[in-house]
Amino acid sequence: MIKLYESGLFFDEMLDGHQPKPHYQSFYRKLSAFSREQLEEKHQQAQSSFLRQGITFTVYGAQGGTERAMPFDFVPIIIPHEQWKMIEAGMKQRVEALNRFLHDVYHEQLIIQDGVIPRLLVENNPYYYRELLGVQVPINNHIFLAGIDLIRDENGVYRVLEDNLRNPSGMSYVFQNRYVMKEVYPEFFSRHTIHSLEKQMVQMQKALLAHRPRNLEEHLEPKAVLLTAGMYNSAYYDHVFLAQQLNIQLVEGRDLVVQDDKVFMKTIYGLECVDIIYRRIDDDFLDPTVFREDSLLGVANIIDAYKAGNVAILNAIGNGVADDKAMYAYVPDMIRYYLKEEPILENVTTYLLSDETQLAWVLEHLEELVIKNVGASGGYDMLIGPHACKEEIAIFREKILQNPHQYIAQPTIQLSRAPAYQDGRFYPCHIDLRVYVMKGDETYVLPGGLSRVALKEGSLVVNSSQGGGAKDTWILKEELEHAEQSSGCAVLDGKV
């Protein structure tokens, strides 16, 4: 029998004490049938599969080369159907409110006039572009794809950790995690009781093509492309995968040109009009005539075509004003303001250091808190107080005092844990879940998402750039729930 560990005081996704929870029992039985030699062989086979397929990410500034294979852990995160229904509803609610907020701040600005959100928090945001005030985006939708990071606290309560509304990455890993699991561990998939990912890209393609620019004639089918920064970008594998799955052309800025406020793709047959651009480069680099003059990644005058209604750019330009870590604290208020509903998913308590009272309290409790730069991502420029030395705390104190508006503080949450298998043994690791929400004419939540795991024992940082890895995420189907209720055990492998 495989020996795991005692869950202890932490909330564990799989274990209750040292016993597997009901929805993990079938998986555990299958797992227990493997010898240690078989587990190690399969583990190596899985890592090799990622390397063979070129599934890598980039660590900027790393010594000894920047390309790394994505570390993969085979113990999945399994979410029962009823829990997933709550998550799905919360995701749709949150993205709807955020989209209405984006439309509002670029048009009527009612939420500012009504005093719900401070005007300066919007207008001082570097990703709020006055050049785009009044610009109509297709189907009034600013968020084609959102990546919402979800955690569970020490009580098992789901909380939103972060909203990613600019260029959320990692979706390709969701599909490749499942592919490798089915290739290396087929024993776990002997009956289809979990939601399949096989036809999910159809939903994304449908959402993408719904964003017809307003000047496109009704009888014409829109032409879409994916704009990448190129093969040296950290998420290039993600770009290639999505372009292939969406059946659209992968292009770089040099492949496009603007003429008469329309965007064209250069081909061997001449110029071909482009209607929808799923861009994977940041706002700053999109148009050197409007944003960064030194950008070689974007397309000159593309913003003119965008404003004229001849091309859709997804996600919309200027979304960064809504996923700033300081704005995050106001999302529950957005839900109440625009939807007249209470938030389904809770935020993590957040202290805004622009408030003098909150700032004073935070400075006295730095060793207990997590401090984040409001504009940073990937685990950079972040202090985890309980794990920091006095020198690191002193450095952050100075940073905060110099620019309090640039930082927020949150309590150190004991993220839920799950077993990981690395170096020939099982041990508990902290996890989070990035859920992908696609929005077109309808809103659709990808069943599952990217479960990220802090493979460094004791670490709370799940980002791949900081030593994290990934797990497959299983959403149990409704009929499985009914079977569990009637029989008292899971049927994941078809055996009651």
Side-chain angles (χ1 to χ4, degrees):
M1 183 67 71
I2 294 292
K3 184 178 180 182
L4 296 175
Y5 54 86
E6 176 82 31
S7 62
L9 299 176
F10 293 90
F11 184 89
D12 197 284
E13 299 289 336
M14 179 174 175
L15 298 175
D16 186 359
H18 62 274
Q19 294 294 326
K21 293 178 178 177
H23 59 288
Y24 267 97
Q25 285 175 1
S26 182
F27 172 83
Y28 182 70
R29 287 197 298 272
K30 284 286 189 183
L31 176 63
S32 297
F34 293 127
S35 68
R36 292 193 177 277
E37 291 74 19
Q38 287 174 317
L39 282 177
E40 187 59 29
E41 183 181 347
K42 285 177 175 287
H43 173 74
Q44 295 303 330
Q45 186 182 344
Q47 308 308 318
S48 297
S49 180
F50 275 84
L51 203 54
R52 279 198 314 273
Q53 295 177 70
I55 306 173
T56 63
F57 63 95
T58 302
V59 181
Y60 295 114
Q63 294 181 349
T66 60
E67 285 297 311
R68 307 274 177 87
M70 170 63 79
F72 175 74
D73 186 76
F74 81 90
V75 180
I77 299 302
I78 303 176
I79 302 176
H81 177 75
E82 286 302 318
Q83 286 183 11
W84 180 251
K85 281 200 332 188
M86 182 271 293
I87 292 171
E88 189 176 46
M91 290 290 157
K92 289 181 178 180
Q93 179 195 59
R94 195 171 181 95
V95 169
E96 178 63 27
L98 284 163
N99 186 61
R100 293 198 193 186
F101 168 73
L102 282 164
H103 182 81
D104 190 13
V105 295
Y106 284 107
H107 292 85
E108 296 86 0
Q109 301 190 345
L110 297 177
I111 199 167
I112 297 174
Q113 293 173 26
D114 289 342
V116 177
I117 290 178
R119 179 176 295 276
L120 289 179
L121 193 62
V122 174
E123 295 184 348
N124 289 347
N125 189 293
Y127 295 101
Y128 180 67
Y129 300 117
R130 289 173 176 79
E131 302 95 324
L132 300 176
L133 286 170
V135 173
Q136 290 291 334
V137 299
I139 59 174
N140 286 330
N141 184 41
H142 293 254
I143 307 166
F144 155 61
L145 180 67
I148 311 293
D149 292 343
L150 201 61
I151 62 167
R152 293 179 91 173
D153 65 18
E154 54 269 26
N155 299 312
V157 176
Y158 282 105
R159 296 179 183 272
V160 174
L161 183 65
E162 189 169 287
D163 303 295
N164 296 283
L165 310 177
R166 285 173 262 184
N167 285 304
S169 62
M171 188 182 280
S172 61
Y173 300 133
V174 176
F175 290 85
Q176 292 302 342
N177 289 343
R178 179 64 53 83
Y179 172 81
V180 170
M181 278 291 288
K182 295 184 84 167
E183 177 189 50
V184 181
Y185 305 95
E187 299 87 347
F188 296 132
F189 294 91
S190 53
R191 270 189 64 184
H192 299 292
T193 53
I194 64 174
H195 281 280
S196 169
L197 297 177
E198 289 179 7
K199 298 181 180 179
Q200 299 302 325
M201 294 306 294
V202 173
Q203 297 291 340
M204 189 173 184
Q205 185 183 55
K206 183 179 176 182
L208 176 78
L209 297 178
H211 294 82
R212 299 171 60 94
R214 66 176 181 272
N215 292 339
L216 180 64
E217 296 178 30
E218 286 189 17
H219 68 280
L220 295 177
E221 289 294 319
K223 169 74 175 180
V225 299
L226 191 152
L227 176 60
T228 176
M231 64 183 295
Y232 296 110
N233 183 264
S234 62
Y236 185 65
Y237 175 82
D238 211 41
H239 305 170
V240 173
F241 176 89
L242 289 172
Q244 290 174 340
Q245 296 297 315
L246 294 169
N247 195 28
I248 60 177
Q249 197 81 24
L250 183 69
V251 300
E252 297 182 28
R254 61 191 176 187
D255 300 318
L256 303 177
V257 64
V258 175
Q259 293 182 1
D260 300 324
D261 287 346
K262 292 184 178 181
V263 181
F264 296 89
M265 178 174 64
K266 302 169 187 174
T267 77
I268 58 173
Y269 304 106
L271 297 179
E272 184 176 353
C273 193
V274 171
D275 306 300
I276 301 171
I277 299 175
Y278 173 23
R279 52 72 175 257
R280 292 298 298 267
I281 64 175
D282 292 339
D283 293 350
D284 289 346
F285 298 95
L286 267 176
D287 188 337
T289 67
V290 177
F291 303 119
R292 286 185 55 157
E293 295 180 5
D294 61 343
S295 172
L296 301 176
L297 304 177
V299 186
N301 303 308
I302 197 172
I303 300 302
D304 290 338
Y306 181 64
K307 287 182 175 181
N310 293 323
V311 68
I313 297 177
L314 314 176
N315 281 339
I317 304 165
N319 276 13
V321 68
D323 70 3
D324 174 288
K325 289 180 176 65
M327 194 63 74
Y328 158 92
Y330 290 92
V331 177
D333 295 322
M334 294 178 199
I335 292 170
R336 297 183 186 100
Y337 181 80
Y338 293 114
L339 307 183
K340 310 298 186 241
E341 299 170 358
E342 283 300 308
I344 296 170
L345 295 168
E346 299 183 38
N347 267 18
V348 174
T349 301
T350 301
Y351 302 99
L352 299 175
L353 305 190
S354 53
D355 180 285
E356 290 187 5
T357 303
Q358 295 185 47
L359 171 62
W361 186 87
V362 166
L363 289 173
E364 291 180 4
H365 296 83
L366 285 177
E367 67 280 357
E368 305 167 20
L369 301 169
V370 175
I371 311 297
K372 298 178 181 178
N373 185 317
V374 297
S377 61
Y380 293 102
D381 201 17
M382 181 170 75
L383 175 79
I384 301 178
H387 296 178
C389 65
K390 290 183 178 180
E391 184 181 356
E392 290 170 325
I393 291 173
I395 290 171
F396 261 83
R397 181 184 298 276
E398 283 305 310
K399 284 184 176 183
I400 292 168
L401 287 171
Q402 288 176 17
N403 195 355
H405 296 266
Q406 195 61 36
Y407 293 92
I408 56 100
Q410 295 173 333
T412 306
I413 290 180
Q414 297 295 345
L415 303 183
S416 66
R417 303 194 304 185
Y421 180 82
Q422 303 286 316
D423 300 322
R425 68 187 182 99
F426 289 95
Y427 60 96
C429 290
H430 295 290
I431 62 159
D432 80 356
L433 174 65
R434 174 166 292 183
V435 180
Y436 294 94
V437 185
M438 310 162 198
K439 199 170 188 307
D441 291 325
E442 300 174 347
T443 303
Y444 184 77
V445 183
L446 184 76
L450 181 61
S451 287
R452 302 183 300 177
V453 52
L455 289 174
K456 184 178 178 182
E457 203 162 356
S459 173
L460 294 172
V461 183
V462 299
N463 305 82
S464 55
S465 57
Q466 305 287 313
K471 290 171 171 283
D472 196 8
T473 311
W474 295 359
I475 307 302
L476 300 185
K477 288 186 176 179
E478 188 171 12
E479 58 266 27
L480 178 61
E481 293 294 295
H482 296 156
E484 286 179 353
Q485 290 168 9
S486 61
S487 68
C489 63
V491 291
L492 189 61
D493 59 353
K495 298 177 183 177
V496 180

